[in-house]
Amino acid sequence: MDNGMDTRRTTRALATEAVHAGRDDLAGLGLHAPPIDLSTTYPSYDSRAEAARIDAFATTGAEPEGPPVYGRLGNPTVARFETALARLEGTEAAVAFASGMAALSAVLLVRASMGLRHVVAVRPLYGCSDHLLTAGLLGSEVTWTDPAGVADALRPDTGLVLVESPANPTLAEIDLRAVAHACGSVPLLVDNTFATPVLQRPVEQGARLVLHSATKYLGGHGDVLAGVVACDEEFAGRLRQVRFATGGVLHPLAGYLLLRGLSTLPVRVRAASANAAELAARLAADPRVARVHYPSIGGAMVAFEVHGDPHEVIAGVRLITPAVSLGSVDSLIQHPASISHRIVDAGDRRDAGVSDRLLRLSVGLEDVEDLWSDLDRALGTPSTRPARSEAMAHG
């Protein structure tokens, strides 16, 4: 969809792109805030021209030039968010979906349509991503391996290598450049939800596809459900065709909220990361905590294993919200083995480092002393104070 914006690469800093990308045409339109286009369909008195545009989309998946056609092909408000996210990730294009899982499903369907149903994946992944692959719900077959085994796991019908770094929920990190090299010609998809382009841009390390659950940091306020894939234009065309056929489209209001969320993404991620680093250090020094996981690249996520009952910690917080999801301006805590990764086989969970005593903390923008006071109270006072088994573990 041609929204009149110049999508050429620029040399602007990330913070500047976050504020201005997807909005470059507004002043010329006499606008300051991006408009929300809620139309599902658009009038055209030239049906021959419409037929030609639809034929062109069916052939390449390229965004139709000129006015919009139908909401399932694309939307101007959503296109603004896609343009902005592509700029931030350093890719040619981005394609938005109704959720992160819809985005991942579209990638798998694109590769399956080419007869490439085999996926090589590294655990841990987000629990539902793991389940989608393991259950073969889209006809895919998965080989699980460690990062060093990626090259040996490839087959002639391998269509995708999938990793998440830092990983959900252990925050394990992967050498993306090394994995990309091992992939050869097979596309590497990196789930960059936890890091965001503020902390890393996987395409600069050899990835072809970058996945986000935009519900998390890109939206940033816990009020929008969305997914997006940043990629080259060729792959984007195929994703648009799948999105059109399956209907996994993003609502325009969600597109607007996401574009607004991107404008504060660098500020939010850096501020929340400072809080997280401080909490990780305090948890690592606390005898009630057995182990702390915090990424070497930083970030706003902390995972920690307790000596006591993790369910008591969940029940004991008052300021921190006990809930699934992450990346909001407020802090959230959850027990992965009970919720986000419950759908993964218990043995597979443990093998991936997701212990039954692991808690995942999404650190928000509250005052760090208030957050620590809440955690300290929720951790309780043990009758004995066991020595820490490990301090800080980086991915």
Side-chain angles (χ1 to χ4, degrees), residues 291-310:
R291 191 180 189 192
V292 176
H293 307 257
Y294 188 66
S296 63
I297 64 170
M301 298 298 300
V302 180
F304 61 99
E305 299 168 43
V306 296
H307 287 295
D309 185 350

Side-chain angles (χ1 to χ4, degrees), residues 41-85:
T41 191
Y42 301 86
S44 173
Y45 292 95
D46 189 344
S47 56
R48 292 185 180 87
E50 289 295 82
R53 293 207 296 159
I54 292 172
D55 285 347
F57 177 82
T59 301
T60 66
E63 294 179 302
E65 295 184 2
V69 178
Y70 181 56
R72 197 149 39 84
L73 273 80
N75 172 273
T77 306
V78 172
R80 290 182 181 277
F81 163 66
E82 293 172 330
T83 296
L85 193 276

